Amino acid sequence: MKLVGNWNYPTPVRFGAGRITEIADACAAAGITRPLLVTDRGLASMAITTHTLDLLNEAGLGRAMFSDVDPNPSDKNVEAGLKVYREGGFDGVVAFGGGSGLDLAKTLAFMAGQSRPLWDFEDVGDWWTRADPAGIHPIVAVPTTAGTGSEVGRASIITNSETHEKKIIFHPKMLPSVVICDPELTVGMPKFITAGTGLDAFAHCVEAFCSPHYHPMSQGIALEGMRLVKEYLPRAYADGTDLEARAHMMSAAAMGATAFQKGLGAIHALSHPIGAVHHTHHGTTNAVCMPAVLQFNQAPCEGILGQAAAYLGIDGGFDGFCAYVDELNASLGIPRTLTELGVTDPDLDALTKSALNDPSTGGNPVEMTYENTRKLFETLL
């Protein structure tokens, strides 16, 4: 099967190897004539980035770039980026990179024409209606990892540098106008990034599948996303040049982010404050949290994860699924505990309170309380 296609759900996606060459056409389709490419520091000097800037420049779109983006992007990055964006007179962004670059770029495009402060648009109730839709600039998204799925999402995760809390900034128009998913851009990912981002996609699918909310389409997408990760993440990890595996993992990433409109859960509720305070890699933190959260959610999820295990060809129902997760983590070099991940002297009271304030708690099949959430953190250490 040739892994090339054009999709229109949840937004127009141009999928296939080599399609980065369509970047100028994608900008035109989005109505962007003066783009700012936004990426992270690590990608700024890499060949895939300079090649993309060359393609933009050759099309008369310039080669402007902003790369002052932290691994967990913060309001300070937003402030710095907006200064560059507004002073440069740009009219749209090329969001280029992993979750950090994509989330920061989407936030810059969203905030470009807003007069209210960033935190007025946190994903609380109908706060998104505070935004001026005419002030939201278009986005072309180009993922270079296969995990977060931010390229097909309507939100960004930004860390509040004062409270050290991760906040969700949401608006329907934050959904990119055009997405280019070119698996060739992911070939150079190091093993630990391949593992962490891939397991982020898996966590999205698992939590969406287990969420008690009703959304049959997301349920099916999440299940097939899990299958793609099971089949192809070990291959991509073993051989980074395996383009078929890289392509299927890009699909799994987009599927996970599409599915989790059904809900996330305790994995992300725990992971967000850990990452915000201790600056751990998001997907890897999710992977560390997953085994304990599966046990925490056993009662309501035993049956449904037993069904998932059968679909995935895993023997042993719920217990077999949990054993598979343990084996997958071990095979990909994932730390077993938060301590092994580098979390030292954690403030469990603050982490617990932050976790309970995270919107992801609402999608967990077991109600999260101060007592059981703190105990989860203690188990994970």
Side-chain angles (χ1 to χ4, degrees), residues 279-325:
H279 310 294
T280 56
H281 182 267
H282 172 67
T284 307
T285 310
N286 282 343
V288 173
C289 293
M290 189 180 298
V293 171
L294 290 174
Q295 296 301 320
F296 178 74
N297 288 331
Q298 178 175 359
C301 293
E302 189 163 8
I304 195 170
L305 283 178
Q307 295 171 16
Y311 179 79
L312 297 172
I314 298 169
D315 294 330
F318 174 82
D319 289 340
F321 186 90
C322 293
Y324 162 74
V325 170

Side-chain angles (χ1 to χ4, degrees), residues 224-238:
E224 178 62 6
M226 281 189 264
R227 186 191 70 81
L228 289 179
V229 174
K230 180 176 181 289
E231 295 294 324
Y232 294 103
L233 178 55
R235 278 177 51 177
Y237 182 79

Side-chain angles (χ1 to χ4, degrees), residues 176-195:
S177 301
V178 183
V179 177
I180 294 177
C181 282
D182 183 342
E184 289 183 347
L185 301 179
T186 70
V187 165
M189 269 198 294
K191 280 183 176 289
F192 79 97
I193 297 293
T194 297

Side-chain angles (χ1 to χ4, degrees), residues 46-126:
M46 292 185 66
I48 56 172
T49 311
T50 55
H51 175 58
T52 302
L53 289 169
D54 289 343
L55 290 169
L56 290 170
N57 196 43
E58 289 165 7
L61 298 174
R63 52 183 307 114
M65 179 175 66
F66 177 79
S67 61
D68 187 13
V69 182
D70 294 327
N72 291 296
S74 72
D75 48 356
K76 291 183 178 179
N77 298 147
V78 174
E79 182 180 359
L82 278 176
K83 186 175 187 296
V84 171
Y85 187 90
R86 288 168 175 164
E87 290 180 356
F90 300 103
D91 64 356
V93 300
V94 172
F96 190 90
S100 302
L102 296 179
D103 279 5
L104 198 282
K106 288 162 60 181
T107 305
L108 295 185
F110 168 69
M111 289 295 294
Q114 307 304 321
S115 58
R116 301 180 68 143
L118 176 66
W119 305 124
D120 279 6
F121 306 111
E122 186 183 345
D123 188 16
V124 176
D126 65 354

Side-chain angles (χ1 to χ4, degrees), residues 243-262:
L243 203 57
E244 180 184 31
R246 291 294 197 187
H248 283 302
M249 283 306 302
M250 288 201 97
S251 294
M255 292 166 75
T258 302
F260 74 55
Q261 61 187 291
K262 180 174 179 274

